[in-house]
Amino acid sequence: MLDSLQTIIVFCLYMVLLFLTALWVERKSARGRDLVNNPLVYSLSLAVYCTAWTYYGSVGKAANSGLIFLSIYLGPTISVVLWWTVLRKLVRIKTTQHITSIADFISARYNKSQSLAALATVMALFGTMPYIALQFKAVLSTFAIITSPGGADPSWIARHLGPVLVALMALFTIILGIRRLDPTERHPGLVMAVAVECLVKLMAFLAAGIFVTFFMFDGFDDIFRRIEATSPEVLANLWTADQSSPVLWTTYLVLAMSAILFLPRQFHVAVVENSDENHIRTAMWMFPLYMLLINIFVLPIALGGILKGYPAAQADTFVLGLPLAAGQKWLSLLVFIGGASAATGMIMISSITVSTMVTNHLLVPVFGLVKSLAFLNRQLLKCRWVAVAGVILIGYWFERQVGESYMLVNIGMISFAAALQFAPVILGGIFWRRGNERGALLGMGAGFAVWFYTLLLPAFVRSGWIDDSLLTKGLLGVSFLNPERLFGVVTLDPLTHTVFWSMAFNLGFYVLGSLYFEQSKEEQSLAEAFVGALTTKPSLPGPYDRKSYIDVAPKTKLIRELLTQYFGEADAAHMTEKCLQSAGIKNKNKSRISIVELAGLHSEAEKMLAGSIGAAAAHRALTLAAVFTANEARELSDVYAEILARLKVTPKELERKIDYYQEREALLTHYASELEQKVKERTRDLEAAQEELIKRERLSVLGQLTAIVSHELRNPLGVIRSSVYFLSRKFSGSDEKTAKHLNRIEQQVGLCDSIIGELLEYTRGRRVATVQGELNPWLEELLDQIPKPDSVSILRTLSPSLPPVHFDREKLRRVIVNLVENAVQAVVARQNAAAEQHKPYSPQVRVTTSPADKGVRIEVEDNGIGMAQQTADRAFEPLFTTRARGTGLGLAIVKKIVEEHGGTVSLTSRREAGTTLTVVIPGTPPLEAQKESDSAGEAPAG
Amino acid sequence: MMERLIALIRRREFHVFLFVLGLVLFGWPVITFSDIGRLEMMFKYLFLAWMIFIFLLFLVAVSQSVSSGSKESEEGQE
């Protein structure tokens, strides 16, 4: 027997030690050193699964029911295999959605439903409160055992330990767990305390097991041999129990698989308190190993107790009782501390979890509904303190009231069955997009109702709180509604019966409800975020900050080989280098690249190839080249998904935005090409204008030069002409030869004078001075004056209805003379040619006038030699001529004068057919002429 | 060879296989195979199978460590 005071002091010291450890961790954490961010701590904290029920109850179960207790630990071991998918997903969602509890998780997934959260909270409350009571019972009863064995009266301390324990637990939990409101709901100090407690309870249990197995007996074989020799009926009974309950074994497996994650406290330590999802990897093997170790001595202790003559009914106390009976005080104390650790760890985590849920999902909505309580919204922290204290206190009160009841003894599996009701909505929520709020509400509600009716209510009956007619006759006397034989199912044990019916209702309503009711847009978005949680990573680095692990060399080789199929080896190598450079890989001189960089390289290679074989073929070639492995392709998808997640837009919205941007891009491209076209046109115009300007400048220079030269030439030409005149008078009547030469000189001088005149006219001609008048009389007079060979006749077709036009008589005279002379020369040339070839030809020049649109048209038509198209095209160019003796200014001067009149001139010609020149003179005076006439009409200033 | 083995263990299908294996090893009818009175044999079988299963879990965890070195998300392989 241990001294009560001594025991309580050791227990309190242990608690203080835990408290100090937790505080130290909290302080370290506040300074940025997170000691809990450790896979070992995470794995140990998960062992809060092994409560006092495990610690003491497993031995009791083993002594009475054989190995079935192992299924409680084998179930989680099996389900752990899927943690890398399931638990990692839950943790990922917790991080992204800032989940604080299992109720919060369910609510967040299903349209942030308050009703679902409230329902989950109530279910958690129902399942947890008696469980907390069970932990109190374990601590209090074991304290009584080690301080007053053999049923002696408990000491004063043992009698008053309960309130002390409640106070300690509440204080400890509040200080370490909810000293302040933390939006992440992570409690590093508390988690470290729980991890230490889990380590202590394992050590304590192993110590007890080793003592019983190897010190009280000679190992496992010795225990089995002795039990077989002395109590074969025990083995037979245990074996029969195991053999007869394969269904129950399976039920335990299923319940335990679900409980390891969906018991509120397990969800809290595994999901909410997880600081790094990589810790799951270690926990995947370390936690099952922990469970194996804590269970390996359970059966030997149970059998050892029986061998020592203790009744199997008291097997719950064997862990503590055997060392105590053997006089191992300190070992007994250690075992007690271990058991207390198991109990307090569970109480702390459960009370925090439940109080968080109660505050967030029951009290806060009530504060919102009842206006007089709205002020409490600012006192949430204190409300949570009260909630924690309340949960612990009610747990203790429950233990005091129903400590020995059927319900409390079986609360472990009852809680597990309650936690199972969360499984469909949570698993459906993270794997089934269609699952919706109403389906979840119906499913979970139905499952909870069935659980309550078929398992909890019978427990109340067996505890004596409700009349047993419910179990004997059924609800309202209808045996079909018997809670333990619902709808006539009589072959299943009560637990399996509940699991079967609750799951049938839960799953059925969840699936049918989800299929029947439509999801809102918000729900669809949430479902997408939850189901696709693993496609994005919540790590802080951006989507482009990816690890460089892909070898560049093989990828470069692939691309070079691909390019070699289309280009020469040397070119392919060069192009590959260019791709590497464009992708920014060569500059960094890296041997390994990230998936983002590989995507860049892939894109550059595709662009390079597309330039030669087209985009579609290039895309296909790159696809066939398989530059991305399956994993790399998936990671690239992750990058895009992460970008999408960061954009916080739904895929549909993104698609719409992409469409919009594509349209905008198309419009911009269209406008850009239009602008480009306009710029090109303007550039062309500018170039033409500049060319014209240059040409004019040149002509201007040429004009000035011509004017000077012409002026200087005309003087000597005048002297020559006078001298020729004098000589021709002097030698008149002399020899014919002299007269001929003198005549030739005179002609050539005349020609020179004419050329100079044309040059001066073109380069420095005076401006037009138009006068309104009738064209026909003037034209007839002029045509009469133009000299022509006799063989050529000038026909006139002058329209009598010509409107009066404004024209400069002198200038237009030059035009007509020029055109008629050209026509005459053309017909004469053809006449000469016809004469040489002895062909008949009748030379003809026709001058026609006719009214034109707001003016007069003058056509000079001949049937002369005509001209080639190339010549016709250039006919109006200054200095262009096909004649041996010509300045090439004739038609240029015509064009210039007509344009000065505001008119147009055109030419049509065909070789050996003739030429037609058409001049159109407008009826109104030209703008420049108008200005001049206007200014001339004004009175001179001054 | 080793790489292929790691790739196999990393695969999602392998995890499902292991899950089913766990159900077979620790579920009905395997738990009812031994004779009456052979609790010891069942005890030894269960713990031995449990240890082997934990070793396989260890390999799965290690393979995920290897894969996380090369790739964070294994969605398609799980």
Side-chain angles (χ1 to χ4, degrees):
Chain A
M1 187 183 94
L2 295 173
D3 179 62
S4 298
L5 188 63
Q6 205 176 21
T7 307
I8 195 76
I9 287 172
V10 171
F11 175 68
C12 286
L13 281 176
Y14 171 67
M15 293 301 283
V16 168
L17 193 67
L18 278 181
F19 184 75
L20 292 176
T21 307
L23 275 184
W24 175 67
V25 169
E26 289 261 321
R27 284 187 184 171
K28 286 279 180 189
S29 178
R31 288 175 191 165
R33 194 172 165 205
D34 195 355
L35 295 171
V36 174
N37 190 357
N38 178 311
L40 178 67
V41 174
Y42 178 69
S43 305
L44 282 172
S45 68
L46 289 173
V48 74
Y49 178 71
C50 305
T51 62
W53 183 53
T54 301
Y55 197 83
Y56 298 114
S58 290
V59 177
K61 196 83 176 166
N64 293 290
S65 309
L67 291 169
I68 197 168
F69 74 95
L70 280 179
S71 56
I72 302 294
Y73 310 96
L74 289 171
T77 303
I78 298 167
S79 66
V80 151
V81 180
L82 303 177
W83 274 12
W84 192 239
T85 301
V86 178
L87 180 54
R88 194 162 61 106
K89 204 169 200 177
L90 295 175
V91 169
R92 188 74 64 87
I93 293 165
K94 179 269 297 186
T95 309
T96 53
Q97 306 283 332
H98 303 288
I99 302 295
T100 57
S101 66
I102 193 166
D104 193 28
F105 185 95
I106 294 168
S107 160
R109 164 61 178 84
Y110 297 102
N111 210 21
K112 303 191 181 351
S113 165
Q114 278 287 1
S115 313
L116 263 175
L119 178 63
T121 303
V122 171
M123 287 167 69
L125 259 177
F126 269 86
T128 307
M129 299 298 289
Y131 214 151
I132 291 176
L134 188 66
Q135 307 307 310
F136 276 117
K137 178 178 161 60
V139 177
L140 298 177
S141 57
T142 51
F143 185 83
I145 289 169
I146 59 169
T147 54
S148 48
D153 286 341
S155 62
W156 183 90
I157 292 175
R159 286 200 305 277
H160 296 86
L161 179 63
V164 175
L165 195 59
V166 167
L168 263 179
M169 286 286 90
L171 194 68
F172 201 87
T173 309
I174 288 170
I175 292 175
L176 292 181
I178 45 176
R179 197 166 62 246
R180 58 181 178 272
L181 281 176
D182 185 349
T184 63
E185 282 301 335
R186 284 193 60 233
H187 313 95
L190 191 70
V191 170
M192 179 60 92
V194 168
V196 171
E197 283 185 325
C198 289
L199 193 62
V200 168
K201 75 185 169 198
L202 177 66
M203 294 301 169
F205 199 92
L206 284 175
I210 289 167
F211 174 75
V212 172
T213 310
F214 296 102
F215 291 87
M216 292 179 74
F217 299 96
D218 288 333
F220 293 98
D221 289 341
D222 180 48
I223 291 173
F224 283 114
R225 201 169 45 248
R226 286 195 197 194
I227 200 84
E228 208 168 337
T230 59
S231 315
E233 75 285 353
V234 172
L235 281 181
N237 289 340
L238 292 179
W239 187 240
T240 308
D242 274 347
Q243 291 296 300
S244 62
S245 56
V247 176
L248 189 61
W249 176 287
T250 308
T251 303
Y252 274 26
L253 272 185
V254 172
L255 287 173
M257 280 183 201
S258 137
I260 192 60
L261 283 184
F262 304 136
L263 275 172
R265 69 170 187 281
Q266 288 307 127
F267 187 89
H268 188 85
V269 288
V271 179
V272 179
E273 296 286 359
N274 180 290
S275 52
D276 184 344
E277 61 186 49
N278 288 314
H279 295 168
I280 296 168
R281 280 200 296 261
T282 308
M284 279 173 72
W285 62 269
M286 196 178 272
F287 176 57
L289 183 63
Y290 182 100
M291 289 190 293
L292 182 141
L293 291 174
I294 207 166
N295 280 292
I296 199 161
F297 290 108
V298 169
L299 191 63
I301 292 172
L303 297 179
I306 292 169
L307 281 172
K308 287 292 175 187
Y310 296 104
Q314 293 178 11
D316 281 353
T317 62
F318 283 180
V319 186
L320 191 61
L322 289 178
L324 195 63
Q328 298 294 322
K329 281 188 178 182
W330 293 110
L331 179 59
S332 303
L333 188 60
L334 178 64
V335 171
F336 168 73
I337 295 293
S341 293
T344 53
M346 185 273 169
I347 292 171
M348 285 190 298
I349 295 291
S350 293
S351 58
I352 282 185
T353 311
V354 172
S355 68
T356 303
M357 288 195 273
V358 167
T359 316
N360 294 353
H361 307 303
L362 292 181
L363 296 182
V364 170
V366 170
F367 297 162
L369 288 173
V370 184
K371 288 195 175 172
S372 56
L373 295 176
F375 74 96
L376 287 172
N377 278 323
R378 290 189 297 277
Q379 307 292 332
L380 278 185
L381 185 59
K382 285 167 188 164
C383 288
R384 199 170 284 183
W385 292 351
V386 173
V388 163
V391 167
I392 293 172
L393 200 60
I394 293 169
Y396 174 67
W397 172 82
F398 207 69
E399 191 276 332
R400 291 286 93 185
Q401 298 303 310
V402 297
E404 298 301 325
S405 71
Y406 168 89
M407 184 198 158
L408 200 60
V409 173
N410 291 281
I411 188 63
M413 295 321 288
I414 293 174
S415 285
F416 277 30
L420 183 66
Q421 307 311 316
F422 295 133
V425 291
I426 292 180
L427 292 176
I430 61 173
F431 290 112
W432 190 38
R433 285 180 173 79
R434 180 77 203 213
N436 62 29
E437 181 191 355
R438 292 186 187 181
L441 203 55
L442 283 172
M444 215 164 73
F448 179 60
V450 172
W451 167 82
F452 184 87
Y453 184 67
T454 60
L455 200 61
L456 203 61
L457 222 50
F460 289 168
V461 173
R462 291 208 161 79
S463 301
W465 307 334
I466 298 177
D467 185 61
D468 66 352
S469 65
L470 184 70
L471 293 183
T472 54
K473 296 176 182 170
L475 185 68
L476 306 171
V478 181
S479 62
F480 202 62
L481 296 176
N482 186 319
E484 291 188 333
R485 297 174 178 186
L486 197 62
F487 308 129
V489 175
V490 295
T491 52
L492 297 176
D493 61 88
L495 189 64
T496 307
H497 176 264
T498 297
V499 168
F500 173 75
W501 280 120
S502 65
M503 277 299 98
F505 276 84
N506 192 331
L507 268 170
F509 276 98
Y510 173 60
V511 172
L512 292 176
S514 296
L515 292 176
Y516 182 77
F517 295 106
E518 289 296 321
Q519 278 180 320
S520 64
K521 292 270 180 198
E522 178 75 10
E523 264 191 291
Q524 282 174 6
S525 172
L526 284 169
E528 195 59 47
F530 275 63
V531 175
L534 281 185
T535 57
T536 56
K537 190 170 162 53
S539 54
L540 289 174
Y544 310 112
D545 299 327
R546 293 276 163 165
K547 199 165 184 172
S548 297
Y549 67 91
I550 304 165
D551 282 332
V552 179
K555 301 296 179 189
T556 311
K557 190 167 170 262
L558 264 176
I559 289 169
R560 192 167 53 242
E561 282 172 358
L562 174 68
L563 293 173
T564 310
Q565 292 173 22
Y566 300 91
F567 313 101
E569 271 195 24
D571 283 345
H574 177 66
M575 288 165 97
T576 310
E577 287 298 302
K578 276 184 83 176
C579 290
L580 286 167
Q581 201 162 14
S582 305
I585 297 166
K586 198 179 176 188
N587 304 341
K588 295 173 191 167
N589 207 17
K590 294 168 85 173
S591 62
R592 283 166 184 263
I593 54 173
S594 70
I595 187 66
V596 177
E597 288 167 317
L598 179 60
L601 179 61
H602 185 276
S603 168
E604 288 302 328
E606 193 171 328
K607 273 191 248 170
M608 185 75 79
L609 202 52
S612 299
I613 63 171
H619 179 71
R620 188 165 182 276
L622 260 294
T623 308
L624 289 174
V627 176
F628 293 109
T629 63
N631 285 350
E632 287 158 0
R634 268 192 293 276
E635 196 188 351
L636 190 59
S637 298
D638 291 350
V639 173
Y640 287 124
E642 197 173 333
I643 293 168
L644 179 63
R646 278 166 186 263
L647 287 172
K648 294 191 188 304
V649 291
T650 62
K652 276 190 176 177
E653 195 181 345
L654 183 69
E655 194 180 354
R656 192 175 54 74
K657 284 187 176 175
I658 288 172
D659 284 349
Y660 164 73
Y661 282 109
Q662 278 177 345
E663 266 179 39
R664 205 179 71 155
E665 177 107 358
L667 276 175
L668 285 175
T669 310
H670 175 68
Y671 289 142
S673 66
E674 267 190 6
L675 190 65
E676 198 177 350
Q677 189 62 29
K678 280 186 179 171
V679 168
K680 274 183 185 172
E681 279 173 16
R682 289 285 166 88
T683 309
R684 209 179 303 130
D685 289 349
L686 275 173
E687 280 172 359
Q690 194 177 11
E691 206 173 315
E692 184 68 21
L693 199 64
I694 291 168
K695 197 171 161 185
R696 282 192 182 186
E697 248 177 58
R698 278 179 190 163
L699 284 173
S700 171
V701 172
L702 184 66
Q704 286 174 16
L705 189 66
T706 308
I708 294 165
V709 172
S710 304
H711 181 73
E712 294 303 319
L713 281 177
R714 269 195 165 167
N715 290 335
L717 279 175
V719 174
I720 293 169
R721 182 176 277 165
S722 305
S723 300
V724 168
Y725 180 73
F726 171 74
L727 289 173
S728 60
R729 295 266 310 213
K730 191 173 182 180
F731 294 107
S732 60
S734 60
D735 63 307
E736 194 179 331
K737 209 169 182 178
T738 304
K740 185 184 169 186
H741 278 284
L742 284 173
N743 193 32
R744 189 177 289 175
I745 289 169
E746 196 174 354
Q747 279 180 357
Q748 293 304 313
V749 168
L751 182 63
C752 285
D753 195 44
S754 162
I755 291 169
I756 288 166
E758 283 187 351
L759 277 171
L760 283 172
E761 174 61 39
Y762 188 75
T763 56
R764 225 174 56 169
R766 64 170 177 84
R767 289 182 179 177
V768 290
T770 59
V771 178
Q772 193 179 28
E774 297 290 332
L775 196 67
N776 281 344
W778 171 80
L779 192 57
E780 281 204 80
E781 190 182 340
L782 177 60
L783 289 174
D784 289 341
Q785 292 171 7
I786 295 173
K788 59 175 180 56
D790 293 338
S791 59
V792 178
S793 59
I794 298 177
L795 303 173
R796 301 165 196 190
T797 311
L798 304 178
S799 170
S801 59
L802 284 185
V805 290
H806 287 81
F807 64 100
D808 184 324
R809 291 167 189 268
E810 183 55 32
K811 290 244 176 193
L812 203 58
R813 180 181 171 279
R814 287 193 74 91
V815 170
I816 302 300
V817 168
N818 207 318
L819 294 182
V820 172
E821 279 181 357
N822 280 348
V824 168
Q825 283 174 11
V827 293
V828 168
R830 190 174 174 188
Q831 187 179 32
N832 294 339
E836 282 174 12
Q837 294 167 12
H838 306 289
K839 286 182 179 175
Y841 174 69
S842 170
Q844 209 171 67
V845 173
R846 181 184 295 274
V847 177
T848 310
T849 60
S850 60
D853 186 26
K854 294 179 184 175
V856 173
R857 180 182 294 110
I858 307 166
E859 282 181 354
V860 179
E861 185 185 357
D862 67 69
N863 60 348
I865 54 172
M867 58 182 87
Q869 188 59 42
Q870 284 178 337
T871 309
D873 289 343
R874 300 184 63 190
F876 294 104
E877 282 185 18
L879 307 175
F880 174 77
T881 181
T882 53
R883 288 193 295 230
R885 270 192 240 165
T887 56
L889 289 171
L891 285 178
I893 290 169
V894 167
K895 187 168 188 269
K896 189 183 170 204
I897 292 170
V898 172
E899 284 177 353
E900 280 172 357
H901 277 81
T904 58
V905 60
S906 60
L907 179 149
T908 54
S909 181
R910 208 149 51 88
R911 279 193 76 84
E912 307 300 328
T915 304
T916 303
L917 271 141
T918 308
V919 172
V920 176
I921 302 294
T924 52
L927 198 61
E928 284 185 16
Q930 260 184 346
K931 280 180 185 170
E932 273 187 16
S933 64
D934 289 348
S935 62
E938 282 174 9
Chain B
M1 177 68 183
M2 199 60 190
E3 280 181 4
R4 288 181 70 86
L5 193 65
I6 290 171
L8 168 75
I9 296 171
R10 269 166 49 188
R11 293 196 72 82
R12 187 182 188 175
E13 292 84 347
F14 182 78
H15 298 175
V16 174
F17 164 77
L18 213 54
F19 181 77
V20 175
L21 179 71
L23 291 177
V24 171
L25 286 177
F26 305 120
W28 182 88
V30 174
I31 52 157
T32 59
F33 279 176
S34 66
D35 299 335
I36 189 161
R38 304 298 295 275
L39 191 67
E40 181 188 358
M41 180 180 277
M42 198 63 202
F43 174 81
K44 286 179 179 171
Y45 159 74
L46 283 175
F47 276 92
L48 187 66
W50 200 350
M51 283 178 200
I52 293 168
F53 200 78
I54 289 170
F55 178 69
L56 290 172
L57 286 172
F58 174 75
L59 290 182
V60 168
V62 170
S63 76
Q64 294 300 342
S65 303
V66 172
S67 70
S68 78
S70 60
K71 184 175 161 303
E72 283 296 340
S73 178
E74 287 289 323
E75 183 77 351
Q77 293 194 359
E78 286 153 19

